[in-house]
Amino acid sequence: MASSTSASDLEVIEAAESHERAVKRMSWIGHRRVLDVSDRAAHIKAGYRSLHAFMAARLRITNPTRRRRHMEAVAQMYSMQGELLPPACPETAAALAEGAIGPDHVEQILKTLRHIPSSVTAEDRSAAETLLAQHARDFDPATVARLGAQVIAHLDPDGRLTDDHDRARRRGLTLGKQDSQSMSALSGALDPITRAMFDTLLDAWAAPGMNNPDDESSPCGGKIDADPKGLKEAAQRDTRSQAKRNHDALTALLKAALDGGVLGKSHRGLPPHLIVKITESELRERAGLGETAGGAHLPIKDVIELAAEAHHHLAVFADHTSEILYLGEAQRLANRSQRFALFARDGAGCTCPECTQPFTRLEIHHAERDWADGGWTDVSDLAGACPKHNRMVGPEVGQWTTHIIREGPDTGRPAWTLNSDATGPPNLPRVNRIHHVGEALDRLLRGVPPSPTVDARRDDMSREERRRVQNAVSMGWVVRAVRWEDLGLAG
């Protein structure tokens, strides 16, 4: 990289401007490169069943879904007849190709176009795209978003063009990722009926004085069942804002649903209750985070408060590894105890690398050998997998091969290997580390080396030996492997 020390101020400004313009142009060129991979189906040969998976895992693209939207809008796509078509948003594509706008500008333009009512004519929609692209050349993305709102207001000034189809298209509710304080942002768009019902709920459950966690005398539930005198006194003590009362009302409603049996008796083999995993040292030292089966994190203070009313389950592991010291029943489907143990061993999610699906949405996968092929439903041979990845296990290219690690710090955990077409270097087996961040940080703080590359060796214990061990454990015997060296009979 050339030094700019000897350059004048004007030259430094021009160099910075030229660099940023080149970066923006490269983002447009990058769309074509990804489409080249798609057009040749090269990602399938590399073992990836979808372009989305290839973009996320191989290209390390942060938001593949957003990138796909941008490509479909500003890149030239081929028709079914092989004809190269013009971009869907030609003015936006031209501005990006010149480096006059960046990906954030494109995102705001597309967001505005998505919110334009479906009954608006194609000519008006095209004019809106042209105007937004022109403004994007002069303004930052936030300003483009505000201009987009004005464009929609001019296209549909009285809201008459918006119909039920548009409302259905826009409806949604998104629970954001937890931040550094374990807080989560809730965002979305409610249709009119849902909004009306939510207003009714807040009127009853978020009234002043109701469901106040900071007031032991605060009535719980809806105000219609509360003692009028007690509610009036609680309201006088209530200093919460409306937003905080809304939050506490939702908390009370969810607790009532969980405790009242509304969710049924079982969901994917687990009780539909709050299930929390925490280590003994974290509980003893009152420091750390509990991990729920839904993938959320709870501060230790909240875990202790929940534990006072909980039904406890125990998971036992070997020292310094994740190997479970419990063998399950000889049946095809995992029982509830095994599911608890797998949650404790593998964390709150799918064990396939980089998958973030929470444990509450998982199926139980025979990780060593499929049941139909003589596999065992012992907990030490099982792993949690989301429905998508559970069905992607197999011998074909693009499928996964799984096994249980038998040696090292990851002993007992499942490893996944993506099958390629063998024309290139084989993919290495991998462990999903997403759900073990706390463990990795603890190892780092204690100066323990990171887990080595997983081994690919298979368990050579015969079915009869495994069954004898299982029977011995169920009868209360302590089972320990004894080598010839231990008996002094080596050689």
Side-chain angles (χ1 to χ4, degrees), residues 326 328-338 366 371 375-379 382 463 467 470:
Y326 166 83
E329 299 178 0
Q331 57 185 11
R332 181 176 182 272
L333 300 179
N335 58 33
R336 176 169 293 186
S337 297
Q338 290 174 317
H366 289 75
W371 173 264
W376 304 302
T377 312
D378 292 339
V379 71
L382 302 177
R463 188 181 184 89
R467 198 56 57 211
Q470 180 179 352

Side-chain angles (χ1 to χ4, degrees), residues 117-161:
S118 57
S119 57
V120 170
T121 65
E123 292 77 10
D124 287 349
R125 184 181 296 270
S126 176
E129 187 265 330
T130 299
L131 180 63
L132 290 171
Q134 292 173 353
H135 283 316
R137 292 172 177 270
D138 300 320
F139 299 105
D140 61 83
T143 303
V144 172
R146 292 195 294 270
L147 294 172
Q150 296 180 30
V151 169
I152 294 176
H154 279 81
L155 291 175
D156 188 16
D158 52 9
R160 288 183 299 177
L161 295 180

Side-chain angles (χ1 to χ4, degrees), residues 324 326-328 338-339 341-342 345 377-383:
I324 300 176
Y326 166 83
L327 296 174
Q338 290 174 317
R339 292 172 186 267
L342 292 174
R345 182 193 72 187
T377 312
D378 292 339
V379 71
S380 53
D381 283 359
L382 302 177

